[in-house]
Amino acid sequence: MDLESSVETLAIHGGTPVRESVLPYGRQWVDEEDIEAVVRVMQSDFLTTGPEVAEFEQAFAVFSGAVEAVAVSSGTAALHAMMYGIGIGPGDEVIVPALTFVASANCVLFQGGTPILADIHPETLLMDPDRIEEKITSRTKAILAVDFAGRPSDYDALREISNRSGLRLVSDACHAFGATRHGQKVGTLADATAFSLHPVKHMTAGEGGLVTTNDPDLASRMRIFRNHGITTDHRQREAKGSWFYEMADLGYNYRLTDIQCALGKSQLRKLPDWVSRRQEIAGVYDAAFRDLAEIETPATQADVSHAYHLYAIQLELSRLSCTRAEVFSALRAEGIGVNVHYIPVHLHPYYRQRFDYRAGDIPYAEAAYERLISLPIFPRMKDTDVEDVIRAVGKVLSHYKK
Ligand SMILES: *Cc1c(COP(=O)(O)O)cnc(C)c1O
């Protein structure tokens, strides 16, 4: 496709849009098999705390290569359970990258701890291991890596730092289902790893989350935490013919229903193909945008398999006669449902006010944020949808390039 030749009027200026209907940046894929699985559970004895939960957990543990998977009601609940599980409490500090969804940092606050926001590496957009040690104090208890966009963090370097300083290493892999690093699966590279089952993620249960770990005691703590801190669940008591239960610690109702676990189990069967399809779309984008000097595409790394929850391009603003906001609006007008991930955590009003953060405090995360645009990527996209995105990006950039 010759991107240079397009001199068409942009849709935002009254021209014909590339697409009539808006292509979203991400979208779930629910088929008949999924619907039948849900209906079967709705007609069964257990809508929650039934057999589907353990079956889904086991299937996900197998998929991720971890010993245990604990299902909870959201990705945020997964992060909270993980913080509880590793014993984060008042006064404790956890190092978290600034370029992430707010829940990655909020989970530390839920436990009374303090998230210490660290800067990213400008190329990978992941927490830069070289900027972590300066953040470690006597109060630091853990490092929480975020596999931004689906790219696995540098777990080797992070493990070295956490071992040296006696810290726990945990991961927010809500973007990174099926990603690998040196052939090792995300889900096994930290002490515990959190996933989200929100519809925009790789697979869905409507809402939901999971934590994987190789530590059965940690898994057991998180299962108690998701059930009010009570040490047995309803079905375990029924099996023993006992009414007796004890609340050993303060927990929440973070359970995932059997209805949702049935959907999750059915979706999981399709997940490996969906990850491949995302990678295939990313490959088509990479090739199409290779010679476009106005954007930087996600860096490819040897021996790292990126799961592409997001395909996040960065604008070369010095080569453009406009801002990110203008490119964003122009692409939306062309029918391309672009998005921006993320406003750095410290720039949100709550964090600014509570921790006195200011613009300029975390420079690489802020610089990336000014340039980032997420293009549509999801397994159900047709090849023609991918072509529309490429055509719209070429059209808009050739209009605004200097
Ligand atoms: C989606 C997401 C979460 C939160 O997941 P929910 O299921 O929406 O609670 C946390 N962290 C990251 C990086 C996410 O993308």
Side-chain angles (χ1 to χ4, degrees):
M1 201 175 310
D2 187 358
L3 299 169
E4 299 296 320
S5 70
S6 48
V7 284
E8 307 155 81
T9 309
L10 298 186
I12 202 170
H13 298 148
T16 310
V18 169
R19 288 177 65 92
E20 288 302 328
S21 61
V22 175
L23 180 71
Y25 87 90
R27 189 173 157 67
Q28 75 275 13
W29 190 346
V30 174
D31 65 13
E32 281 305 316
E33 188 186 47
D34 296 329
I35 294 166
E36 282 165 23
V38 167
V39 170
R40 269 198 303 278
V41 170
M42 292 184 73
Q43 292 164 332
S44 78
D45 289 338
F46 291 99
L47 299 187
T48 189
T49 322
E52 293 292 325
V53 181
E55 283 180 28
F56 179 43
E57 288 181 337
Q58 272 152 28
F60 196 80
V62 168
F63 167 79
S64 61
V67 174
E68 293 267 8
V70 178
V72 291
S73 54
S74 69
T76 304
L79 289 164
H80 187 184
M82 202 162 74
M83 288 297 112
Y84 170 83
I86 62 166
I88 299 304
D92 294 341
E93 293 179 353
V94 179
I95 300 172
V96 181
L99 188 72
T100 185
F101 183 55
V102 288
S104 313
N106 292 348
C107 65
V108 183
L109 296 175
F110 297 158
Q111 282 301 107
T114 305
I116 302 296
L117 300 172
D119 213 344
I120 54 160
H121 190 283
E123 215 162 276
T124 61
L125 306 179
L126 301 172
M127 186 154 61
D128 185 347
D130 291 338
R131 300 181 168 274
I132 290 177
E133 249 150 353
E134 65 201 44
K135 302 282 182 194
I136 296 176
T137 71
S138 57
R139 295 179 296 279
T140 312
K141 289 285 152 48
I143 297 170
L144 195 166
V146 178
D147 296 344
F148 177 81
R151 182 193 300 282
S153 301
D154 186 350
Y155 288 100
D156 305 312
L158 297 178
R159 179 60 79 188
E160 216 184 286
I161 296 166
S162 60
N163 281 350
R164 208 181 313 135
S165 301
L167 310 177
R168 302 301 296 263
L169 173 60
V170 291
S171 160
D172 177 345
C174 289
H175 295 182
F177 287 81
T180 64
R181 198 181 137 80
H182 307 324
Q184 284 188 294
K185 290 179 179 174
V186 162
T188 62
L189 297 169
D191 299 339
T193 305
F195 296 89
S196 162
L197 301 169
H198 182 277
V200 87
K201 304 296 163 64
H202 280 71
M203 57 171 277
T204 191
E207 295 273 2
L210 291 147
V211 187
T212 59
T213 180
N214 287 341
D215 177 349
D217 292 334
L218 181 53
S220 162
R221 281 173 60 75
M222 293 189 289
R223 288 201 177 94
I224 291 168
F225 183 71
R226 76 166 171 204
N227 189 36
H228 309 279
I230 293 171
T231 49
T232 53
D233 72 31
H234 172 75
R235 226 155 52 101
Q236 288 167 335
R237 289 194 294 278
E238 287 288 308
K240 280 197 202 152
S242 165
W243 54 267
F244 182 79
Y245 69 81
E246 281 182 310
M247 180 185 138
D249 204 351
L250 184 63
Y252 291 76
N253 177 354
Y254 278 164
R255 294 186 302 260
L256 193 63
T257 65
D258 279 55
I259 304 166
Q260 291 169 295
C261 287
L263 177 54
K265 226 172 66 184
S266 182
Q267 292 255 303
L268 183 57
R269 283 188 216 111
K270 290 158 279 209
L271 181 58
D273 286 344
W274 288 347
V275 174
S276 303
R277 176 60 179 153
R278 284 176 181 274
Q279 291 168 336
E280 183 179 56
I281 295 168
V284 176
Y285 283 157
D286 284 346
F289 300 144
R290 189 161 294 143
D291 300 325
L292 275 186
E294 294 79 27
I295 60 174
E296 191 182 319
T297 55
T300 49
Q301 290 172 284
D303 213 15
V304 168
S305 165
H306 188 312
Y308 292 105
H309 164 59
L310 303 174
Y311 188 89
I313 58 168
Q314 295 186 75
L315 303 177
E316 297 290 0
L317 292 169
S318 63
R319 292 176 181 269
L320 293 165
S321 59
C322 65
T323 61
R324 191 263 311 276
E326 285 171 284
V327 174
F328 181 92
S329 303
L331 285 169
R332 281 275 175 105
E334 299 297 339
I336 308 301
V338 288
N339 224 312
V340 173
H341 300 92
Y342 290 98
I343 298 172
V345 173
H346 66 291
L347 298 183
H348 286 281
Y350 181 86
Y351 278 88
R352 281 184 194 248
Q353 281 152 27
R354 180 159 170 184
F355 298 102
D356 202 25
Y357 278 117
R358 279 147 224 249
D361 282 350
I362 310 185
Y364 285 115
E366 292 174 33
Y369 163 62
E370 296 294 335
R371 305 170 56 201
L372 279 165
I373 290 187
S374 303
L375 300 181
I377 190 164
F378 54 95
R380 209 176 186 177
M381 269 176 89
K382 297 189 196 74
D383 291 344
T384 51
D385 296 328
V386 178
E387 285 162 22
D388 286 345
V389 175
I390 293 168
R391 203 154 77 75
V393 168
K395 181 179 171 184
V396 168
L397 293 181
S398 56
H399 177 84
Y400 287 115
K401 77 176 178 192
K402 277 185 185 164

